[in-house]
Amino acid sequence: MFSRLQEDIRCVFDRDPAARGRFEVLTTYPGLHALIAYRLAHRLWLGKWFWLARMLSHLTRWFTGIEIHPGAQIGRRLFIDHGMGVVIGETAVIGDDCTLYHGVTLGGTSWEKGKRHPTLGRDVVVGAGAKVLGPIEIGDGVRIGSNAVVVKAVPANATVVGVPGRLIQREAEGDDSHRKQIAEKMGFDAYGVTADAPDPVAHAINCMLDHIHVMDKRMQNMCNTLKAMGAYEDDLELPELKACEIHSTADEIQQLQEQKAEEETRLAST
């Protein structure tokens, strides 16, 4: 029991950069408190002390905001970050090295007895507010985005986002040279972003680059046809488009303050 507690404390340090000391983790982390109480309640549950196990689970929810049914099966080194609103059902199974954020629900979708809750493999991360519902299998290494609702099985090492949960898969690699050429003209490299992560903004910009590429080809064909018919046109180079940035209000205020300070310094020096 003591060695398991030490293991749980070490996993907090591994996954939470805000953790500063063992005493702080032991006394102020509700996820750790909920796990300690769960292990005791689970032993009572296995010993057929059902009411006492449920009562301990109920008191733990009162103090931590985390509800773990004593009948659930939880592996080693589970980390519940913040924890408020986490619900883990009776027949849920959680593998080793998983991470749950606040508001996560591992719930059931049926009133029938038997397996009603999800099974999580090893090294699964479930984002804040996500709901994983029903007796489904979540493979090893799966990442579930915040507020996603997952009701179907997920293969290993996949990423799920949205309502209902959708798998994010990298598109097959193809000829993207035209997209890079257009991006270089615009001073923007969105494709480098999507190579590493499914960024919906970058995806939208990539679609725009593809559209611009087709328009450029059509315009070039029209120009070539006009030249073949004897039309004269100066070869003009496209103006350079510099990359733009979107600044927040705080950034703009800071820039104005810096400009004002520079102006005051300049006036004082003169």
Side-chain angles (χ1 to χ4, degrees):
M1 184 72 177
F2 184 70
S3 62
R4 183 67 67 87
L5 177 60
Q6 288 182 318
E7 191 175 62
D8 291 333
I9 293 175
R10 284 197 300 270
C11 90
V12 171
F13 283 102
D14 292 339
R15 303 181 211 174
D16 186 4
R20 292 176 295 183
R22 299 174 68 87
F23 183 74
E24 175 186 310
V25 171
L26 187 61
T27 55
T28 64
Y29 274 64
L32 181 62
H33 302 159
L35 277 178
I36 294 172
Y38 155 77
R39 293 203 177 97
L40 178 56
H42 187 62
R43 290 189 178 187
L44 293 173
W45 186 267
L46 294 178
K48 309 298 183 182
W49 295 83
F50 300 123
W51 179 87
L52 191 58
R54 289 300 305 270
M55 193 62 191
L56 178 58
S57 174
H58 178 71
L59 293 174
T60 302
R61 181 182 65 171
W62 180 272
F63 285 105
T64 66
I66 300 171
E67 181 176 352
I68 306 177
H69 194 285
Q73 301 179 41
I74 297 178
R76 304 172 73 93
R77 298 176 296 278
L78 171 65
F79 178 47
I80 302 177
D81 197 5
H82 298 292
M84 181 62 68
V86 169
V87 177
I88 301 175
E90 177 187 5
T91 61
V93 179
I94 300 177
D96 297 340
D97 301 303
C98 290
T99 301
L100 308 181
Y101 289 88
H102 53 278
V104 167
T105 298
L106 305 183
T109 56
S110 171
W111 290 345
E112 301 292 333
K113 291 187 178 295
K115 178 66 172 171
R116 308 184 305 280
H117 301 89
T119 297
L120 273 59
R122 296 172 56 91
D123 191 30
V124 175
V125 177
V126 186
K131 315 301 178 188
V132 187
L133 307 176
I136 58 177
E137 297 278 343
I138 307 298
D140 296 345
V142 167
R143 300 294 183 263
I144 298 176
S146 297
N147 296 317
V149 178
V150 183
V151 294
K152 295 182 180 179
V154 180
N157 301 314
T159 299
V160 183
V161 298
V163 181
R166 302 183 305 275
L167 291 179
I168 293 178
Q169 297 179 350
R170 184 175 300 176
E171 295 182 357
E173 296 183 359
D175 183 11
D176 61 340
S177 57
H178 66 277
R179 186 179 294 171
K180 293 181 179 179
Q181 292 173 1
I182 299 296
E184 288 175 359
K185 290 181 182 179
M186 298 176 61
F188 179 79
D189 185 12
Y191 196 73
V193 176
T194 54
D196 298 327
D199 186 342
V201 176
H203 175 70
I205 294 175
N206 283 336
C207 293
M208 294 172 60
L209 295 178
D210 291 339
H211 185 75
I212 294 172
H213 169 66
V214 175
M215 293 177 61
D216 277 356
K217 289 185 65 176
R218 289 185 176 180
M219 289 295 296
Q220 187 63 42
N221 291 336
M222 291 173 61
C223 291
N224 292 337
T225 302
L226 289 173
K227 287 181 180 180
M229 296 173 62
Y232 176 78
E233 180 185 2
D234 294 333
D235 291 332
L236 300 176
E237 294 184 359
L238 293 175
E240 180 182 359
L241 296 177
K242 297 182 179 179
C244 62
E245 295 181 0
I246 301 175
H247 296 281
S248 66
T249 303
D251 293 333
E252 293 174 351
I253 292 175
Q254 183 178 359
Q255 290 179 0
L256 290 175
Q257 291 175 345
E258 291 176 354
Q259 292 175 1
K260 184 178 179 181
E262 292 177 357
E263 184 67 20
E264 292 176 350
T265 303
R266 186 180 62 82
L267 293 175
S269 62
T270 56

